[in-house]
Amino acid sequence: MATAKTRSGKKPRSGEGASGGGKRRERVIDRGAWFLVLPALIPILVLSVGPLLYGIVLAFTDAQSGRTEPTQWIGTLNFQDLYHDTLFWESFRIGLLWAVGVTVPQFVLALGLALLLNQRLRFRWLARAVAIVPWAMPEVVVGIMWRLVYNADAGILNETIRDFGLGDGRDWLTGLATALPAVIVVGIWAGMPQTTVALLAGLQNTPDELHEAAALDGAGAWRRFRTVTWPALKPVALAITALNFIWNFNSFALVYVLTSGGPGGRTRLPMLFAYEEAFRYGQFGYAAAMGCVMVAVISVLLAVYLVGRLKSGDEK
């Protein structure tokens, strides 16, 4: 049988036709994959990446509301003013206190609740359904509900205090010493179900055989948790804690409904401060500079988290 030749008279290399066809098919698949991704990618570019880039550009201008003159490029002047703005850095400190004060107790309580809901209890399905109710409620509704709870005259909290003879109650959301702790309690309550669901999913992925083997070896509950449960749960715990910290630091709606940043700025988070500068005082360029600083801080936190995750993955 005659050997097949190419048009140039040369014999085709072994597997050249197959590999060439495979590469063409891969390119076709790649194009098809891009078309499948576009419906999800376009909204992200339009609604997230586009406004982010526009905000970065706006931070280097003197954009203000109600101006008749054209907006001018002023370089880093907004950032220089921001560096000397003590009110902004105070709001930044409050934001960190809020984020840590919500994230840490939220994780501890959610971990305990997840461990409880992972046990073989009667009506466990009902307990799991009730546990995620706060997660299903919009933040505005949560804020309005807790404002009624904290109401100084007819709130259920003050009524309970009076019924037990513990005092006359107090103005929880308007007191300088109690406003931030009261808001933190609401943040913990509202965000705990999400953390609980994530940790519960991690617990359910831990094989029961490992717990049974540890129990046979004489390990108690605490030792089983430390040697079996926590190593399997650690990746989920780190991920949900990092996300919670970022979400809490960027909180707006809940605190705005509860206190609007008061009293005296004691609950004015950085996002609230930027909102006031932009929409109350019309300083769009200055507010955009605040947003850039917050994005930079969040990016650094994400980088630290990702580096830690990569190092832990390399150790494994």
Side-chain angles (χ1 to χ4, degrees), residues 281-303:
Y281 305 114
Q283 302 293 329
F284 295 131
Y286 194 55
M290 295 181 186
C292 290
V293 172
M294 287 184 280
V295 169
V297 171
I298 296 301
S299 300
V300 170
L301 294 175
L302 278 176

Side-chain angles (χ1 to χ4, degrees), residues 98-111:
W98 154 267
V100 174
V102 172
T103 303
V104 174
Q106 191 178 84
F107 174 78
V108 174
L109 294 174
L111 178 59

Side-chain angles (χ1 to χ4, degrees), residues 82-83 85-94 268 270-271 273-274 286 289-291 293-294:
L82 194 61
Y83 179 76
D85 192 341
T86 57
L87 291 177
F88 173 72
W89 294 113
E90 176 64 17
S91 74
F92 211 87
R93 183 187 70 83
I94 294 172
R268 185 187 290 130
M271 193 64 69
F273 196 96
Y286 194 55
M290 295 181 186
V293 172
M294 287 184 280

